[in-house]
Amino acid sequence: MIIAPSLLAADFGRLGSEIQRADRAGADWIHVDIMDGHFVPNISFGPGVVETARRFTRLPLDVHLMCSRPATLLEPFVRAGASLITVHVELGNGVGDLLWKIRALGRKVGLAVNPPTPIANALPLLKQIDLLLIMTVNPGFGGQSFIEETIPKVQQADAWRRERGLPFRIEVDGGINLSTAAECARAGADTFVSGTALFGQSNLKAAIRKMREAAMRHAPAPRGGART
Ligand code: DX5
Ligand code: ZN
């Protein structure tokens, strides 16, 4: 199980120490939301913030691009230190090329699916990816409520993964707390992004440990190979 605190919920006034707090608290990855004010109605970070994050931790940086035109942004985020880059399936026809380009730049490849988008849109691309990000809120803002209707998409993705013997991780993002993490784990998720429910805690170490335990307790029994 991977727990990835989302920097969007950190105290921006002391970003460096917030990243160190997450690192020392046992986070597996740091999730960094990049919003362009067009693909989503909000603006967040650019490559400079990823570069700063890189100076404060050696943990993998999980960069989630909520951007309408990510093609020209891939190289700057790679140079800044992104470990994994996720683009959205809603971008349409060019997505396969973007996935290929991320791979060619030597980074792990992620594909995200918004709540209203059918999970079947991701099906032709599953062989190209390391991570399928199933959005469990409409992207753009932290602190929203989990959308229950996204659970069958997690189940479907897990079924495809088992049937086809594919190795991609299933990540959930938005409204993830102890109970929704457990619910998603039961459906097959193994990677949990959480902003408000983690950074909002004064004891971040305990919060991360509890979320990991909840996810592990509810995970389906592994078939055809253990997943960590
Ligand atoms: C939402 C972002 C999320 C966000 C999650 O658009 O993709 O990563 O930070 O925040 P919480 O956990 O507060 O819902
Ligand atoms: Zn995100």
Side-chain angles (χ1 to χ4, degrees):
M1 297 292 171
I2 297 274
I3 308 294
S6 173
L7 216 52
L8 199 62
D11 179 348
F12 298 166
R14 42 196 186 95
L15 210 49
S17 57
E18 286 284 78
I19 292 161
Q20 285 172 331
R21 184 162 77 101
D23 185 323
R24 291 180 188 141
D28 299 291
W29 295 354
I30 304 291
H31 185 82
V32 193
D33 287 307
I34 312 297
M35 305 177 179
D36 68 349
H38 186 264
F39 186 79
V40 289
N42 196 5
I43 292 178
S44 59
F45 312 129
V49 170
V50 171
E51 203 177 307
T52 301
R54 186 76 292 161
R55 285 198 280 118
F56 286 89
T57 183
R58 299 171 76 161
L59 290 176
L61 298 176
D62 175 27
V63 173
H64 176 192
L65 295 183
M66 286 160 273
C67 304
S68 296
R69 298 180 56 202
T72 54
L73 298 171
L74 300 179
E75 283 188 51
F77 280 106
V78 164
R79 274 199 303 275
S83 313
L84 187 150
I85 300 183
T86 294
V87 292
H88 270 260
V89 75
E90 291 79 17
L91 297 176
N93 285 340
V95 174
D97 285 350
L98 291 169
L99 300 178
W100 179 87
K101 192 167 177 204
I102 297 167
R103 176 84 62 211
L105 289 166
R107 296 304 186 266
K108 296 267 191 219
V109 181
L111 180 67
V113 183
N114 280 340
T117 305
I119 189 74
N121 293 15
L123 188 53
L125 300 163
L126 295 182
K127 280 193 188 143
Q128 276 180 268
I129 63 175
D130 300 298
L131 175 128
L132 182 64
L133 167 48
I134 298 179
M135 287 304 303
T136 45
V137 299
N138 286 307
F141 301 92
Q144 304 182 74
S145 299
F146 182 83
I147 300 174
E148 292 287 340
E149 289 76 10
T150 58
I151 287 286
K153 294 163 95 172
V154 177
Q155 291 166 333
Q156 178 61 261
D158 187 44
W160 283 333
R161 180 167 68 173
R162 288 170 187 254
E163 283 160 21
R164 289 152 204 248
L166 293 169
F168 61 86
R169 306 194 72 91
I170 299 177
E171 182 176 66
V172 284
D173 181 9
I176 299 297
N177 53 33
L178 280 187
S179 79
T180 57
E183 214 180 321
C184 291
R186 201 178 302 121
D190 51 56
T191 306
F192 302 82
V193 175
S194 177
T196 315
L198 292 182
F199 273 109
Q201 303 296 316
S202 53
N203 190 342
L204 184 54
K205 189 170 191 162
I208 290 176
R209 180 173 41 77
K210 283 184 200 157
M211 189 172 285
R212 185 179 286 111
E213 284 169 2
M216 284 168 68
R217 241 191 337 271
H218 291 86
R223 264 186 274 154
R227 184 163 292 276
T228 55

